[in-house]
């Protein structure tokens, strides 16, 4: 995993178009909204979810907790209900990790975490922007997740990608999302848990209180699992400007899981 301790949250303020002290400043500034679709409930804004943990082992992050100190969320059921083939894959990954070899953690090679990790484990704040026909999640260290809400179906012949393809619709105050075509090389979380190319993620986002957002995630994968897997990530609205911007960073810097001999690869050790 990348050592992110040095990449602390950058406090910023926007006052009269210039940088200023961010202590206690509201984010976004008064009068600014990221809500753009008048036909849908407002879930826009800056939200801080929780990291994903392993029962009895805490959170797989440098600090061992979410950025704001809240306890982790967990997959259920646990242990994950793997089929024999995928239990073998998982066991091989764990054995390799004990020897210092990362088989299932593609982030160790500076590749995107992808889905479903980016909605299941939110160690840092993410921004939800609503515009007519789509909802976009801007998250730390990865590509944005676009949820199309304009009625389009999943395209035929989709090429698998890190985040897959997401479409959604509103059922009352709940955004119901369907995500397919996720690359099988992504993991379910930062613990190297595998899935197959058949992974189908169904998830919902609902604002249950002015400053509380629930994301319910269910994984369907009849090749890897004997039953569906689910979890709920509870996010809190962040209004202090110190949460509004993360320090920029490159995965190539101080990636502890990459061997150093290849000096030309761009990896920087310190």
């Amino acid at each position: 995993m990348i050592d992110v301790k040095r990449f602390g949250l950058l406090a910023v303020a926007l006052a009269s178009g210039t940088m200023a002290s961010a202590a206690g400043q509201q984010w976004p500034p008064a009068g600014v909204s990221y809500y753009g679709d008048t036909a849908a409930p407002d879930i826009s804004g800056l939200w801080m979810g929780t990291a994903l943990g392993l029962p009895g082992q805490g959170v797989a992050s440098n600090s061992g907790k979410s950025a704001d100190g809240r306890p982790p969320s967990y997959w259920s059921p646990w242990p994950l209900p793997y089929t024999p083939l995928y239990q073998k894959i998982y066991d091989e990954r764990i054995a390799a990790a004990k020897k210092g070899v990362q088989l299932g953690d593609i982030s160790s090679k500076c590749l995107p975490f992808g889905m479903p990790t980016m909605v299941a484990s939110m160690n840092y704040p993410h921004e939800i922007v609503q515009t007519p026909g789509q909802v976009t999640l801007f998250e730390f260290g990865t590509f944005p997740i676009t949820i199309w809400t304009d009625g389009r179906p999943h395209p035929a012949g989709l090429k698998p990608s890190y985040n897959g393809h997401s479409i959604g619709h509103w059922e009352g105050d709940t955004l119901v999302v369907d995500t397919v075509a996720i690359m099988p090389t992504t993991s379910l979380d930062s613990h190297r848990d595998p899935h197959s190319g058949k992974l189908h993620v169904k998830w919902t986002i609902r604002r249950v209180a002015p400053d509380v957002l629930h994301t319910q995630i269910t994984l369907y994968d009849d090749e890897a699992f004997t039953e569906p897997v689910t979890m709920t990530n509870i996010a809190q609205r962040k209004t202090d400007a110190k949460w509004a911007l993360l320090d920029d960073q490159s995965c190539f810097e101080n990636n502890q899981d990459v061997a150093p001999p290849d000096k030309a690869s761009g990896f920087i050790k310190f």
Side-chain angles (χ1 to χ4, degrees):
M1 296 294 293
I2 304 166
D3 182 359
V4 297
K5 287 182 179 179
R6 68 183 292 269
F7 301 118
L9 293 170
L10 175 64
V12 297
L14 299 177
S16 301
T18 61
M19 297 295 288
S21 172
Q25 182 178 336
Q26 175 183 330
W27 186 266
V32 176
S33 174
Y34 300 111
Y35 175 51
D37 192 341
T38 57
D42 183 5
I43 59 171
S44 63
L46 191 68
W47 301 94
M48 176 73 228
T50 52
L52 196 59
L54 287 178
Q57 299 182 43
V59 177
S61 69
N62 296 88
S63 64
K65 57 186 178 183
S66 302
D68 61 358
R70 284 182 295 142
S73 303
Y74 301 98
W75 290 121
S76 178
W78 189 267
L80 292 172
Y82 280 126
T83 60
L85 173 60
Y86 277 79
Q87 184 64 52
K88 181 175 182 291
I89 293 172
Y90 174 78
D91 292 342
E92 290 172 348
R93 290 181 176 185
I94 295 301
K98 291 179 179 179
K99 298 178 182 179
V101 178
Q102 306 298 332
L103 293 181
D105 182 8
I106 62 175
S107 67
S108 67
K109 297 181 180 179
C110 291
L111 295 172
F113 291 98
M115 285 282 286
T117 300
M118 295 314 299
V119 294
S121 190
M122 294 184 174
N123 297 38
Y124 298 99
H126 64 289
E127 195 102 48
I128 297 181
V129 177
Q130 290 176 254
T131 51
Q134 71 184 76
V135 175
T136 306
L137 281 65
F138 294 92
E139 301 194 25
F140 172 70
T142 189
F143 306 119
I145 298 172
T146 299
I147 304 167
W148 299 104
T149 58
D150 58 1
R152 73 182 67 186
H154 293 301
L158 272 172
K159 179 181 179 181
S161 61
Y162 293 105
N163 287 346
H165 186 271
S166 296
I167 55 176
H169 65 276
W170 293 94
E171 294 183 3
D173 61 356
T174 302
L175 178 60
V176 179
V177 188
D178 188 273
T179 303
V180 298
I182 302 169
M183 292 173 61
T185 51
T186 69
S187 62
L188 298 181
D189 45 51
S190 55
H191 307 288
R192 311 174 190 87
D193 293 306
H195 64 83
S196 82
K198 295 182 179 180
L199 178 64
H200 188 169
V201 183
K202 295 185 178 181
W203 45 301
T204 61
I205 304 175
R206 179 172 178 256
R207 187 176 174 182
V208 300
D211 296 325
V212 182
L213 201 69
H214 282 190
T215 300
Q216 175 78 35
I217 305 160
T218 304
L219 311 178
Y220 298 89
D221 189 338
D222 58 11
E223 182 175 324
F225 302 136
T226 58
E227 62 181 290
V229 175
T230 188
M231 61 92 67
T232 299
N233 197 309
I234 299 176
Q236 295 179 349
R237 181 182 293 279
K238 295 299 184 184
T239 57
D240 192 314
K242 74 177 184 179
W243 296 102
L245 184 66
L246 291 165
D247 292 344
D248 59 351
Q249 65 142 313
S250 168
C251 172
F252 291 93
E253 295 180 301
N254 206 31
N255 188 334
Q256 302 296 328
D257 290 334
V258 176
D262 182 6
K263 302 296 183 181
S265 67
F267 288 93
I268 302 171
K269 294 285 185 175
F270 52 84

